[in-house]
Amino acid sequence: STQGVSSAASDVYKRQNLVVAMGVFLWSSGLPLIDHILGKWDFMSLATARSLIAGLFLFVISSYKTRSIPDKHLVKKASLIGLTTYGFGALCMVVGISYSDPVTASILVTLIPVISAFMDLFTTKRSISWKLMLALVFSIIGGLVASLEPDQLNFVFGFGEIAVLAGVFLFVLYSRTTLHYLSFAPQISVLSICTLSGGLGMLILTIVSSGMGNELRYSFEPVYLMPLLFLGIVSMGISIHLWFYGAGRLGVTHAALLQNLVPAFVMLIMLALEHSFDGMKALGGVFVVCAAVIAQTDKKKLSHPEEH
């Protein structure tokens, strides 16, 4: 009987990790698309359109599932979180990719569990297991290796990389804050409000920047419109729902360790699109995939939302 319960718990654990991994893959598929669409769109317009499409998609799904309109209290709290964390984080990510590249951005995203682990230390006062510590070290090494320029043997860490890191930090803050303060409401309703409010906030910033002389560029040609719809609905809308499903059950830090798979996913996607192979970035990807493998052998409970 005890063995049966243990087996069932193990199956649930594996299923939760699989859901998060699927969300990570869908999100990863958006990084090369952002790089492609930026050929015709400016980063402000793209970040705004991406979030608005995702927010509208989630709102439609939420309305269909709950058959109700969220109350004012939820709308106020979720909108505040969406504007201050999710909206700015999504904008930083698009800006970072526009000044960097999808693979480097994907490597830097692996710092999500590192940031979350440090937040764990300050909020839960828990110690970090040696396996998790080793996984975090591998993540950092992978990020550093991927940022190296082989010809010059120095670190390339410019505005694009800083913007991506800012986006990563805001995403971790968004995840933990949402799971802590909005756990009383249906998850799909919370995500729809946060995403839509973040998009509306970016829309206002885009309009203001246009009024200040910033030239807006966009194209609704099918070659750009279809990737944009995929970017909003699948890569952002569906992936964020899968992410929060896992993060709410595994804890943000544990679920975030699966972000170590982002570089591998992006590398495969870029190769499928016939982009050139980058040995240093591939080596960085190997380090972070090793980190994912090590971390998944550590089943210590981490950063559950009710503890924050």
Side-chain angles (χ1 to χ4, degrees):
S1 176
T2 303
Q3 186 175 2
V5 172
S6 176
S7 178
S10 178
D11 289 341
V12 171
Y13 176 81
K14 290 177 181 177
R15 184 166 61 251
Q16 291 167 348
N17 278 275
L18 183 61
V19 169
V20 176
M22 178 58 68
V24 170
F25 174 75
L26 294 179
W27 186 85
S28 301
S29 67
L31 296 184
L33 286 179
I34 290 175
D35 192 49
H36 166 68
I37 299 173
L38 281 170
K40 281 287 185 177
W41 287 63
D42 68 279
F43 62 81
M44 289 288 289
S45 298
L46 177 56
T48 300
R50 174 175 173 246
S51 293
L52 286 177
I53 292 171
L56 289 171
F57 169 74
L58 290 171
F59 186 78
V60 170
I61 300 300
S62 172
S63 300
Y64 175 78
K65 290 185 67 175
T66 62
R67 306 286 183 178
S68 62
I69 298 175
D71 61 71
K72 293 182 179 179
H73 176 64
L74 174 60
V75 171
K76 185 181 296 185
K77 294 187 72 172
S79 296
L80 179 62
I81 293 174
L83 282 169
T84 56
T85 57
Y86 183 78
F88 283 112
L91 178 61
C92 287
M93 187 61 65
V94 174
V95 172
I97 294 174
S98 70
Y99 282 90
S100 181
D101 65 85
V103 178
T104 299
S106 72
I107 295 290
L108 293 174
V109 165
T110 62
L111 292 176
I112 286 179
V114 178
I115 295 171
S116 186
F118 275 108
M119 289 185 178
D120 278 335
L121 291 177
F122 289 104
T123 57
T124 67
K125 307 300 182 183
R126 287 186 175 185
S127 60
I128 299 178
S129 69
W130 71 268
K131 286 186 178 180
L132 177 59
M133 181 62 71
L134 184 60
L136 296 178
V137 169
F138 269 68
S139 292
I140 295 172
I141 293 174
L144 293 176
V145 169
S147 298
L148 274 172
E149 280 289 343
D151 296 335
Q152 300 175 353
L153 291 179
N154 62 354
F155 290 105
V156 177
F157 200 82
F159 178 74
E161 287 74 18
I162 293 175
V164 171
L165 283 179
V168 167
F169 173 79
L170 289 171
F171 179 75
V172 174
L173 187 62
Y174 164 61
S175 299
R176 297 171 71 98
T177 304
T178 298
L179 289 170
H180 175 53
Y181 291 105
L182 302 177
S183 59
F184 62 87
Q187 184 183 91
I188 189 69
S189 298
V190 171
L191 296 180
S192 66
I193 298 170
C194 287
T195 307
L196 195 54
S197 63
L200 291 173
M202 282 189 283
L203 178 60
I204 295 173
L205 285 176
T206 301
I207 294 173
V208 171
S209 68
S210 177
M212 296 175 64
N214 181 42
E215 181 183 356
L216 302 183
R217 294 182 295 107
Y218 47 86
S219 172
F220 294 106
E221 299 173 40
V223 68
Y224 294 105
L225 179 59
M226 296 309 293
L228 178 62
L229 291 175
F230 180 88
L231 192 64
I233 295 173
V234 179
S235 180
M236 177 173 275
I238 296 178
S239 73
I240 197 70
H241 187 40
L242 297 178
W243 159 257
F244 271 96
Y245 171 87
R249 292 160 176 77
L250 298 171
V252 175
T253 301
H254 195 133
L257 288 167
L258 287 165
Q259 296 287 349
N260 291 323
L261 296 173
V262 171
F265 288 149
V266 171
M267 191 76 68
L268 290 174
I269 293 170
M270 296 291 281
L271 287 174
L273 295 174
E274 299 183 350
H275 284 246
S276 60
F277 181 80
D278 190 319
M280 291 300 289
K281 296 187 190 305
L283 181 59
V286 169
F287 273 104
V288 293
V289 169
C290 288
V293 173
I294 294 171
Q296 292 313 300
T297 64
D298 180 15
K299 298 185 179 181
K300 181 180 179 180
K301 299 298 181 181
L302 296 166
S303 63
H304 283 278
E306 66 267 20
E307 294 175 349
H308 302 293

